[in-house]
Amino acid sequence: MSVLFVVGLGPGDTTHLTQQAKKAIEKSSIVCGYRTYIQQIEGLIKDKIVYSNSMGGEVERVKKAVLSAKEGYITSLVSGGDASIYGMASLAYEIGFGVVDIVVVAGVTAALSCSARLGAPISDDLAVISMSDLLTPWEIIKKRIEAVNIGDFVCAVYNPKSKNRTKQIEYALNRFYDSRGDLLCGVVKDCCRESEAVRIFPISEFDYDFVDMRSTVIVGNTQTYIKQGKLITPRGYGV
Ligand code: SAH
């Protein structure tokens, strides 16, 4: 069977692209991906056939990638960050299982690159949650928000806001506040890209206007503190 690589590109610049990811792309003659992510690796794909489309075209894109691989062209289907975190990895299996050999290549997901920018906010158990109710019903997302409260998890919030979807992050932070108090939040916008911006505030001073769909919000747990501009969640060494 021919190979379909499902490749996580990391957050932005090519220094965050793993060597495995680079190798997979180099081996491929066809590269499929969302337009923004294709732009992210322009320098690597000059000699390749590229299939890119816009948001909403995921199923079509994955079908195209599976078909290309089935026809014998080594193909890379690329996602930002890691392909299994709100990316194309599961869809590739759903469509391509038994048709092509699928190889998932791990990438640096936004929670990790953004955490590094903020200091060390993820040093204890972490919950990852998306505010997008496009594929997951809002009622389920609400239950997961409560589960984060019950476990006092550090929480990485993906897809916090889009043009038409603005209230979910406010709801989540209000629920965190009501349940656990004025937790510290770090926001990284465009992590590892030219326009990168980093802000830290408690929930009570959270600037909702700063957040957009290119941002990740990391909400600390009740132990998280701020020191010289860095967010730190202690592991419990007691130093
Ligand atoms: N597969 C991606 C996530 C895709 S969902 C990954 O593993 O990172 C899209 C969301 O990811 C965005 O709304 C944002 O919350 C987050 N994100 C992706 N890239 C980012 C970046 N460079 N800086 C900040 N957040 C990012």
Side-chain angles (χ1 to χ4, degrees):
M1 263 196 280
S2 36
V3 178
L4 172 63
F5 291 110
V6 184
V7 183
L9 300 179
D13 59 18
T14 45
T15 63
H16 285 78
L17 187 77
T18 69
Q19 303 226 17
Q20 281 291 339
K22 189 162 178 260
K23 260 193 221 161
I25 293 164
E26 280 167 355
K27 271 191 205 156
S28 302
S29 46
I30 298 189
V31 177
C32 302
Y34 172 48
R35 219 159 270 142
T36 314
Y37 301 138
I38 290 290
Q39 282 163 7
Q40 203 170 305
I41 47 165
E42 250 164 7
L44 277 180
I45 55 174
K46 290 209 166 80
D47 58 337
K48 321 255 178 225
I49 298 169
V50 174
Y51 175 77
S52 73
N53 64 3
S54 50
M55 216 179 272
E58 289 83 6
V59 173
E60 191 195 336
R61 195 187 310 146
V62 174
K63 281 186 176 162
K64 177 87 180 171
V66 169
L67 189 67
S68 307
K70 191 180 164 201
E71 284 173 352
Y73 301 100
I74 299 178
T75 303
S76 278
L77 173 67
V78 299
S79 278
D82 181 82
S84 57
I85 310 281
Y86 315 123
M88 296 289 99
S90 57
L91 193 56
Y93 274 105
E94 284 172 308
I95 293 174
F97 220 171
V99 182
V100 290
D101 261 338
I102 297 171
V103 177
V104 178
V105 180
V108 180
T109 189
L112 302 184
S113 53
C114 295
S115 166
R117 289 296 192 258
L118 291 163
I122 307 178
S123 298
D124 198 351
D125 291 347
L126 169 74
V128 175
I129 190 165
S130 167
M131 290 293 109
S132 171
D133 55 2
L134 219 58
L135 302 172
T136 305
W138 178 237
E139 286 308 311
I140 292 181
I141 299 173
K142 274 168 49 181
K143 279 190 190 162
R144 291 176 182 169
I145 290 169
E146 298 314 323
V148 171
N149 275 331
I150 291 169
D152 191 20
F153 286 99
V154 173
C155 185
V157 183
Y158 284 62
N159 296 303
K161 209 170 149 188
S162 72
K163 265 195 210 115
N164 305 317
R165 189 177 46 69
T166 55
K167 292 289 163 212
Q168 282 83 349
I169 180 69
E170 225 171 307
Y171 174 91
L173 293 187
N174 284 335
R175 287 300 308 137
F176 292 161
Y177 185 97
D178 290 345
S179 172
R180 287 180 291 157
D182 205 4
L183 303 174
L184 288 163
C185 307
V187 182
V188 183
K189 190 191 282 194
D190 281 325
C191 188
C192 304
R193 301 173 186 148
E194 256 174 30
S195 45
E196 179 179 290
V198 180
R199 301 269 300 273
I200 293 174
F201 14 61
I203 294 176
S204 59
E205 290 167 30
F206 196 88
D207 181 359
Y208 290 96
D209 291 336
F210 178 71
V211 175
D212 62 11
M213 66 185 293
R214 302 187 321 271
S215 315
T216 297
V217 181
I218 298 185
V219 186
N221 66 17
T222 52
Q223 306 307 305
T224 304
Y225 62 92
I226 188 167
K227 191 171 181 181
Q228 292 172 9
K230 296 291 179 190
L231 273 186
I232 302 164
T233 302
R235 281 206 65 203
Y237 288 108
V239 290

